[in-house]
Amino acid sequence: MPKLRYKKEKKRHHDHDKSKKKKHKKRGDYHVPQTAYEPEEGWVPPNAHDPWDEEEDEWRAKMFDAMGEDEGGDGYFSRYEYYQPQEQRMSDEEYRQHIVRGMYERKHAAEIEAERIWKAEQEKKRREREEARRKVMEEEAERRRIEEMYRQIERERRYQTTIEDYDKKWKDLEEMSEIKRKDIPWPVQGKNFSFDSVRSFFMNNSKESVSDLKKRVRQEQRRYHPDKFMTRVMSRFKGSEDDKQQIMTRMNEIAGWLNELWQKL
């Protein structure tokens, strides 16, 4: 039994050495790629690190700094990898102008800031002038409003005086035994006999309601009705035939204009 075990151990050790040799052989076996050309003797590759002159180097440094600031910090990534919609992409000329403009703004930052401050001051002065002009216009509008208010008050006062005088003439007319041409009152504004003059006579009072205005127009329609006017006025009239004819003509005109005004109320 011991002999058999010894032989097996020896054989196993022999197999282990063979596997180690095989593995060692595989580890040292590697592929050497073929070259497309043979190096020439005496050939020296060009120096890829020739320095730029100072002006060109400064220009490129500024350009790449501007690209980094404008496009996100990484000139290569932002220029070639960052997606932009087609309508937002700049052409080469637009991009060149953009870079040149950025460099100009960097170089003339103080001048640009001074111009910005000057424009801000000019804009402030312009707004102040507009504000002053607006205040003047508001004051002028207020002055006109007050003047119009006083004019309206004066018109109403005159209208009230005119109405009082008109009513007084009719009251005096009722008590006269003889009536002359100058004693007959007419509901007109001024001396012109027209529809506008009659309308102005009744509508100058802005405080009078429509119902009150209708009552007054209806009262005047009764006064200048041809039958009543002939009975109350012309029966006591003393004057020439021409005066009588003119009074009858005016009476008919006033009656017609009063009817027209009543229809428009």
Side-chain angles (χ1 to χ4, degrees), residues 203-256:
M203 303 186 70
N204 271 343
N205 188 5
S206 60
K207 296 181 179 179
E208 192 172 22
S209 63
V210 177
S211 60
D212 293 338
L213 182 59
K214 286 184 176 181
K215 290 179 182 180
R216 176 168 285 277
V217 173
R218 179 62 72 183
Q219 179 184 357
E220 299 304 317
Q221 283 179 323
R222 288 192 294 267
R223 283 177 175 176
Y224 291 95
H225 189 275
D227 295 338
K228 292 186 177 182
F229 192 83
M230 290 293 296
T231 303
R232 297 175 61 185
V233 178
M234 299 307 295
S235 61
R236 293 175 290 163
F237 179 76
K238 299 296 181 179
S240 63
E241 288 295 326
D242 292 340
D243 291 342
K244 185 176 181 180
Q245 188 64 33
Q246 290 180 3
I247 290 172
M248 294 300 297
T249 302
R250 287 188 176 182
M251 181 269 298
N252 290 325
E253 291 176 347
I254 294 295

Side-chain angles (χ1 to χ4, degrees), residues 23-34:
K23 288 182 180 179
H24 180 70
K25 185 178 181 180
K26 288 182 179 180
R27 188 179 302 170
D29 189 10
Y30 59 90
H31 175 70
V32 178
Q34 296 181 357

Side-chain angles (χ1 to χ4, degrees), residues 80-105:
Y80 296 101
E81 299 295 332
Y82 180 69
Y83 172 76
Q84 292 182 344
Q86 186 66 29
E87 61 273 8
Q88 296 181 3
R89 295 179 183 175
M90 293 186 293
S91 64
D92 294 341
E93 179 62 21
E94 291 174 345
Y95 187 74
R96 186 190 67 80
Q97 293 178 2
H98 175 70
I99 295 299
V100 172
R101 184 169 58 252
M103 295 184 64
Y104 176 83
E105 291 176 356

Side-chain angles (χ1 to χ4, degrees), residues 18 24 54 58 96 154-155 159 167 179 200 243:
K18 288 176 68 177
H24 180 70
E54 294 182 359
E58 183 180 359
R96 186 190 67 80
E154 182 65 20
R155 283 195 297 267
Y159 173 77
D167 292 338
I179 299 175
S200 298
D243 291 342

